[in-house]
Amino acid sequence: MSSWYEKLSHKVEDNAFKLSVWSAIAVLVGGLVTLPPLFLQGTVQKIDSVKPYNALELAGRDVYQEEGCFYCHSQMVRPFKWETDRWDPTRQYGDTPYSKAGESVYDHPFLWGSKRIGPDLAHEAALRGSAAWQVSHLKNPRETSPGSIMPAYPHLFETDNMLDTEVIKARMSALRILGVPYTDQDIQNADSLAKNKTKGDALVSYLLKLGKDTMQ
Ligand code: HEC
């Protein structure tokens, strides 16, 4: 005599069409339970000190995505004790606060990531705030971090990798539609901020923005 759930599973799984319909219903119900609450006001608490990326930082964020830095780096300190404690105290960042949703409100898409082949970069600006260190590390990680397996990116600082200010402005306008509060002036500033700058310069300025608004 088979149990009730065996009977039920036979009924549902014997027929591929029925199984698809029931699976679709399960996904819809799951989606309705988990997604709409996120759109209700007040779920994500705003943090006043968090400001949108300026033109150069935003261009650097694009480079971060193009180069796939997120394949090796996360940008989220999870709210677990072992996670907030894991930071190496000799590098002065023991006991770091965990990441809040309000820190990523201007990230479209967010880059929290799930891979930690390299260290988490959520608070990079507060940990390694020196542009000179970041440049030298990106050009040759072995120079600053002996034995590092991180790839070198010297080409990003060469003159055939200059930024295109028009592309940055178009991106900022698109983000404005998504709700990032850019003013016309912010968008115009791309001309001066990104002028004669390389993708490498933009990437460094992005790294120096990570965690800056909440950690410093
Ligand atoms: C193959 C994996 C891998 C990739 C891809 C990678 N990294 Fe790394 N990264 C590492 C490892 C491992 C370390 C730790 C050793 C070191 O400092 O180089 C590291 C360290 C870093 C650090 C120093 C973090 C700290 O505070 O100690 C920064 C900043 C960084 N990476 C940025 C980047 C950026 C930006 C990119 C993309 C352009 C990138 N990484 C791509 C593996 C990677």
Side-chain angles (χ1 to χ4, degrees), residues 172-210:
M172 294 177 89
S173 307
L175 284 169
R176 189 153 68 174
I177 296 169
L178 291 179
V180 180
Y182 284 131
T183 60
D184 289 342
Q185 186 60 47
D186 291 334
I187 299 180
Q188 278 310 316
N189 285 347
D191 286 325
S192 51
L193 284 174
K195 195 175 163 202
N196 295 330
K197 294 273 169 55
T198 62
K199 286 186 172 185
D201 298 329
L203 186 56
V204 168
S205 114
Y206 170 65
L207 291 170
L208 296 183
K209 162 85 169 169
L210 295 177

Short mmCIF file of all heavy atoms in Angstrom, two decimals, residues 172-210:
data_model
loop_
_atom_site.label_atom_id
_atom_site.label_comp_id
_atom_site.label_asym_id
_atom_site.label_seq_id
_atom_site.Cartn_x
_atom_site.Cartn_y
_atom_site.Cartn_z
N MET A 172 24.08 57.76 -17.83
CA MET A 172 23.54 58.50 -16.69
C MET A 172 22.08 58.88 -16.95
O MET A 172 21.24 58.81 -16.05
CB MET A 172 24.38 59.74 -16.41
CG MET A 172 25.78 59.39 -15.93
SD MET A 172 26.84 60.82 -15.68
CE MET A 172 26.49 61.24 -13.98
N SER A 173 21.78 59.26 -18.20
CA SER A 173 20.39 59.60 -18.53
C SER A 173 19.50 58.38 -18.36
O SER A 173 18.37 58.48 -17.87
CB SER A 173 20.27 60.09 -19.97
OG SER A 173 21.16 61.14 -20.19
N ALA A 174 20.01 57.21 -18.79
CA ALA A 174 19.21 55.98 -18.65
C ALA A 174 18.98 55.67 -17.17
O ALA A 174 17.87 55.31 -16.77
CB ALA A 174 19.92 54.82 -19.33
N LEU A 175 20.01 55.86 -16.36
CA LEU A 175 19.86 55.57 -14.92
C LEU A 175 18.88 56.54 -14.27
O LEU A 175 18.18 56.21 -13.32
CB LEU A 175 21.22 55.65 -14.22
CG LEU A 175 22.12 54.44 -14.48
CD1 LEU A 175 23.53 54.69 -13.97
CD2 LEU A 175 21.55 53.18 -13.81
N ARG A 176 18.84 57.76 -14.82
CA ARG A 176 17.90 58.74 -14.27
C ARG A 176 16.46 58.25 -14.45
O ARG A 176 15.63 58.40 -13.57
CB ARG A 176 18.10 60.09 -14.98
CG ARG A 176 17.32 61.20 -14.35
CD ARG A 176 17.94 62.54 -14.56
NE ARG A 176 17.89 62.96 -15.94
CZ ARG A 176 18.28 64.17 -16.35
NH1 ARG A 176 18.73 65.04 -15.48
NH2 ARG A 176 18.22 64.49 -17.61
N ILE A 177 16.23 57.61 -15.60
CA ILE A 177 14.89 57.05 -15.84
C ILE A 177 14.58 55.96 -14.80
O ILE A 177 13.45 55.80 -14.35
CB ILE A 177 14.80 56.46 -17.27
CG1 ILE A 177 14.96 57.58 -18.30
CG2 ILE A 177 13.46 55.73 -17.47
CD1 ILE A 177 15.14 57.10 -19.71
N LEU A 178 15.62 55.24 -14.38
CA LEU A 178 15.41 54.18 -13.39
C LEU A 178 15.31 54.72 -11.97
O LEU A 178 15.18 53.96 -11.01
CB LEU A 178 16.56 53.17 -13.46
CG LEU A 178 16.64 52.30 -14.71
CD1 LEU A 178 17.84 51.37 -14.64
CD2 LEU A 178 15.36 51.49 -14.87
N GLY A 179 15.44 56.05 -11.82
CA GLY A 179 15.22 56.63 -10.49
C GLY A 179 16.47 57.14 -9.79
O GLY A 179 16.39 57.57 -8.64
N VAL A 180 17.64 57.08 -10.45
CA VAL A 180 18.83 57.65 -9.81
C VAL A 180 18.75 59.17 -9.97
O VAL A 180 18.57 59.67 -11.08
CB VAL A 180 20.13 57.10 -10.47
CG1 VAL A 180 21.36 57.71 -9.80
CG2 VAL A 180 20.17 55.58 -10.37
N PRO A 181 18.82 59.93 -8.86
CA PRO A 181 18.54 61.37 -8.93
C PRO A 181 19.67 62.21 -9.52
O PRO A 181 20.20 63.10 -8.87
CB PRO A 181 18.28 61.73 -7.47
CG PRO A 181 19.07 60.75 -6.69
CD PRO A 181 19.11 59.49 -7.48
N TYR A 182 20.05 61.96 -10.78
CA TYR A 182 21.08 62.76 -11.43
C TYR A 182 20.49 64.08 -11.90
O TYR A 182 19.41 64.10 -12.50
CB TYR A 182 21.67 62.02 -12.65
CG TYR A 182 22.63 60.92 -12.29
CD1 TYR A 182 22.50 59.66 -12.86
CD2 TYR A 182 23.68 61.15 -11.40
CE1 TYR A 182 23.39 58.64 -12.53
CE2 TYR A 182 24.57 60.13 -11.08
CZ TYR A 182 24.41 58.88 -11.65
OH TYR A 182 25.29 57.88 -11.32
N THR A 183 21.21 65.18 -11.67
CA THR A 183 20.77 66.46 -12.22
C THR A 183 21.43 66.64 -13.59
O THR A 183 22.39 65.92 -13.93
CB THR A 183 21.23 67.62 -11.32
OG1 THR A 183 22.67 67.59 -11.26
CG2 THR A 183 20.68 67.49 -9.91
N ASP A 184 20.95 67.61 -14.37
CA ASP A 184 21.58 67.88 -15.67
C ASP A 184 23.05 68.22 -15.46
O ASP A 184 23.91 67.84 -16.25
CB ASP A 184 20.89 69.07 -16.36
CG ASP A 184 19.49 68.68 -16.83
OD1 ASP A 184 19.22 67.46 -16.93
OD2 ASP A 184 18.67 69.58 -17.08
N GLN A 185 23.31 68.93 -14.36
CA GLN A 185 24.69 69.31 -14.06
C GLN A 185 25.57 68.08 -13.83
O GLN A 185 26.68 67.99 -14.36
CB GLN A 185 24.70 70.22 -12.81
CG GLN A 185 26.05 70.80 -12.49
CD GLN A 185 26.59 71.67 -13.64
OE1 GLN A 185 25.88 72.51 -14.18
NE2 GLN A 185 27.84 71.43 -14.03
N ASP A 186 25.04 67.10 -13.08
CA ASP A 186 25.80 65.86 -12.84
C ASP A 186 26.19 65.22 -14.16
O ASP A 186 27.31 64.73 -14.34
CB ASP A 186 24.95 64.83 -12.06
CG ASP A 186 24.67 65.26 -10.63
OD1 ASP A 186 25.47 66.02 -10.08
OD2 ASP A 186 23.63 64.83 -10.08
N ILE A 187 25.23 65.22 -15.10
CA ILE A 187 25.49 64.56 -16.40
C ILE A 187 26.50 65.38 -17.19
O ILE A 187 27.45 64.83 -17.77
CB ILE A 187 24.16 64.36 -17.16
CG1 ILE A 187 23.24 63.45 -16.33
CG2 ILE A 187 24.42 63.76 -18.54
CD1 ILE A 187 21.89 63.15 -16.93
N GLN A 188 26.34 66.72 -17.16
CA GLN A 188 27.30 67.58 -17.86
C GLN A 188 28.72 67.40 -17.31
O GLN A 188 29.70 67.48 -18.04
CB GLN A 188 26.91 69.06 -17.70
CG GLN A 188 25.83 69.51 -18.68
CD GLN A 188 26.16 69.13 -20.11
OE1 GLN A 188 27.29 69.28 -20.57
NE2 GLN A 188 25.18 68.59 -20.85
N ASN A 189 28.81 67.14 -16.00
CA ASN A 189 30.12 67.01 -15.36
C ASN A 189 30.95 65.88 -15.98
O ASN A 189 32.17 65.84 -15.78
CB ASN A 189 29.97 66.74 -13.86
CG ASN A 189 29.59 68.00 -13.12
OD1 ASN A 189 29.66 69.09 -13.67
ND2 ASN A 189 29.15 67.84 -11.87
N ALA A 190 30.29 64.97 -16.71
CA ALA A 190 31.04 63.88 -17.35
C ALA A 190 32.13 64.47 -18.24
O ALA A 190 33.24 63.93 -18.33
CB ALA A 190 30.10 63.01 -18.17
N ASP A 191 31.83 65.62 -18.89
CA ASP A 191 32.80 66.24 -19.80
C ASP A 191 34.11 66.54 -19.09
O ASP A 191 35.19 66.26 -19.60
CB ASP A 191 32.23 67.53 -20.38
CG ASP A 191 31.17 67.23 -21.43
OD1 ASP A 191 31.33 66.22 -22.14
OD2 ASP A 191 30.19 68.00 -21.51
N SER A 192 34.00 67.13 -17.88
CA SER A 192 35.25 67.47 -17.18
C SER A 192 35.84 66.29 -16.42
O SER A 192 37.05 66.06 -16.44
CB SER A 192 35.01 68.65 -16.25
OG SER A 192 33.89 68.38 -15.44
N LEU A 193 34.96 65.49 -15.75
CA LEU A 193 35.49 64.40 -14.91
C LEU A 193 36.17 63.29 -15.71
O LEU A 193 37.16 62.71 -15.27
CB LEU A 193 34.34 63.79 -14.08
CG LEU A 193 33.84 64.58 -12.89
CD1 LEU A 193 32.62 63.90 -12.28
CD2 LEU A 193 34.95 64.69 -11.84
N ALA A 194 35.59 62.99 -16.88
CA ALA A 194 36.10 61.82 -17.62
C ALA A 194 37.01 62.19 -18.78
O ALA A 194 37.50 61.33 -19.49
CB ALA A 194 34.91 60.99 -18.13
N LYS A 195 37.23 63.50 -18.94
CA LYS A 195 38.05 63.96 -20.06
C LYS A 195 39.49 63.45 -19.94
O LYS A 195 40.11 63.56 -18.87
CB LYS A 195 38.05 65.49 -20.06
CG LYS A 195 38.53 66.08 -21.36
CD LYS A 195 38.37 67.59 -21.32
CE LYS A 195 39.21 68.21 -22.39
NZ LYS A 195 39.52 69.59 -22.12
N ASN A 196 40.01 62.92 -21.03
CA ASN A 196 41.40 62.42 -21.06
C ASN A 196 41.71 61.39 -19.98
O ASN A 196 42.83 61.29 -19.51
CB ASN A 196 42.40 63.58 -20.93
CG ASN A 196 42.33 64.50 -22.13
OD1 ASN A 196 41.99 64.05 -23.23
ND2 ASN A 196 42.62 65.78 -21.92
N LYS A 197 40.67 60.67 -19.56
CA LYS A 197 40.90 59.63 -18.54
C LYS A 197 40.81 58.25 -19.20
O LYS A 197 40.06 58.06 -20.16
CB LYS A 197 39.83 59.73 -17.44
CG LYS A 197 39.92 61.01 -16.62
CD LYS A 197 40.89 60.84 -15.46
CE LYS A 197 41.26 62.10 -14.74
NZ LYS A 197 40.18 62.87 -14.23
N THR A 198 41.56 57.30 -18.64
CA THR A 198 41.51 55.93 -19.16
C THR A 198 40.49 55.11 -18.38
O THR A 198 40.02 55.53 -17.31
CB THR A 198 42.88 55.23 -19.01
OG1 THR A 198 43.18 55.16 -17.61
CG2 THR A 198 43.98 55.98 -19.75
N LYS A 199 40.19 53.93 -18.92
CA LYS A 199 39.29 53.01 -18.21
C LYS A 199 39.88 52.65 -16.85
O LYS A 199 39.17 52.46 -15.87
CB LYS A 199 39.09 51.74 -19.03
CG LYS A 199 38.19 51.92 -20.23
CD LYS A 199 37.93 50.58 -20.89
CE LYS A 199 36.87 50.72 -21.97
NZ LYS A 199 36.50 49.42 -22.55
N GLY A 200 41.21 52.56 -16.80
CA GLY A 200 41.89 52.24 -15.54
C GLY A 200 41.65 53.32 -14.49
O GLY A 200 41.35 53.03 -13.33
N ASP A 201 41.76 54.60 -14.93
CA ASP A 201 41.52 55.71 -13.99
C ASP A 201 40.10 55.61 -13.43
O ASP A 201 39.86 55.82 -12.24
CB ASP A 201 41.65 57.07 -14.71
CG ASP A 201 43.04 57.29 -15.26
OD1 ASP A 201 44.00 56.80 -14.65
OD2 ASP A 201 43.15 57.96 -16.33
N ALA A 202 39.13 55.30 -14.33
CA ALA A 202 37.74 55.21 -13.90
C ALA A 202 37.57 54.06 -12.90
O ALA A 202 36.89 54.20 -11.88
CB ALA A 202 36.84 54.99 -15.12
N LEU A 203 38.21 52.92 -13.19
CA LEU A 203 38.08 51.76 -12.31
C LEU A 203 38.61 52.09 -10.91
O LEU A 203 37.98 51.76 -9.90
CB LEU A 203 38.85 50.57 -12.91
CG LEU A 203 38.72 49.24 -12.19
CD1 LEU A 203 37.26 48.82 -12.06
CD2 LEU A 203 39.50 48.15 -12.93
N VAL A 204 39.74 52.78 -10.85
CA VAL A 204 40.31 53.15 -9.55
C VAL A 204 39.35 54.08 -8.81
O VAL A 204 39.09 53.90 -7.61
CB VAL A 204 41.70 53.80 -9.72
CG1 VAL A 204 42.17 54.44 -8.42
CG2 VAL A 204 42.72 52.76 -10.21
N SER A 205 38.78 55.04 -9.53
CA SER A 205 37.87 55.96 -8.85
C SER A 205 36.61 55.22 -8.35
O SER A 205 36.07 55.54 -7.29
CB SER A 205 37.59 57.17 -9.73
OG SER A 205 36.31 57.25 -10.13
N TYR A 206 36.20 54.20 -9.08
CA TYR A 206 35.07 53.36 -8.62
C TYR A 206 35.45 52.59 -7.36
O TYR A 206 34.69 52.56 -6.38
CB TYR A 206 34.66 52.40 -9.74
CG TYR A 206 33.68 51.32 -9.32
CD1 TYR A 206 32.39 51.64 -8.90
CD2 TYR A 206 34.04 49.97 -9.34
CE1 TYR A 206 31.49 50.65 -8.51
CE2 TYR A 206 33.15 48.98 -8.97
CZ TYR A 206 31.88 49.33 -8.55
OH TYR A 206 30.99 48.35 -8.16
N LEU A 207 36.64 51.99 -7.36
CA LEU A 207 37.07 51.21 -6.18
C LEU A 207 37.15 52.11 -4.95
O LEU A 207 36.86 51.70 -3.82
CB LEU A 207 38.43 50.54 -6.44
CG LEU A 207 38.43 49.40 -7.47
CD1 LEU A 207 39.85 48.99 -7.82
CD2 LEU A 207 37.64 48.20 -6.96
N LEU A 208 37.54 53.38 -5.18
CA LEU A 208 37.66 54.31 -4.05
C LEU A 208 36.31 54.89 -3.62
O LEU A 208 36.22 55.70 -2.70
CB LEU A 208 38.64 55.44 -4.40
CG LEU A 208 40.08 54.99 -4.64
CD1 LEU A 208 40.98 56.17 -4.90
CD2 LEU A 208 40.61 54.17 -3.47
N LYS A 209 35.25 54.47 -4.31
CA LYS A 209 33.91 54.88 -3.90
C LYS A 209 33.23 53.76 -3.08
O LYS A 209 32.31 54.01 -2.31
CB LYS A 209 33.10 55.20 -5.16
CG LYS A 209 31.60 55.24 -5.01
CD LYS A 209 31.09 56.59 -4.54
CE LYS A 209 29.56 56.65 -4.66
NZ LYS A 209 29.00 57.80 -3.98
N LEU A 210 33.73 52.52 -3.22
CA LEU A 210 33.07 51.39 -2.57
C LEU A 210 33.16 51.48 -1.05
O LEU A 210 34.25 51.37 -0.48
CB LEU A 210 33.69 50.06 -3.04
CG LEU A 210 33.50 49.72 -4.52
CD1 LEU A 210 34.22 48.43 -4.88
CD2 LEU A 210 32.02 49.62 -4.85
#
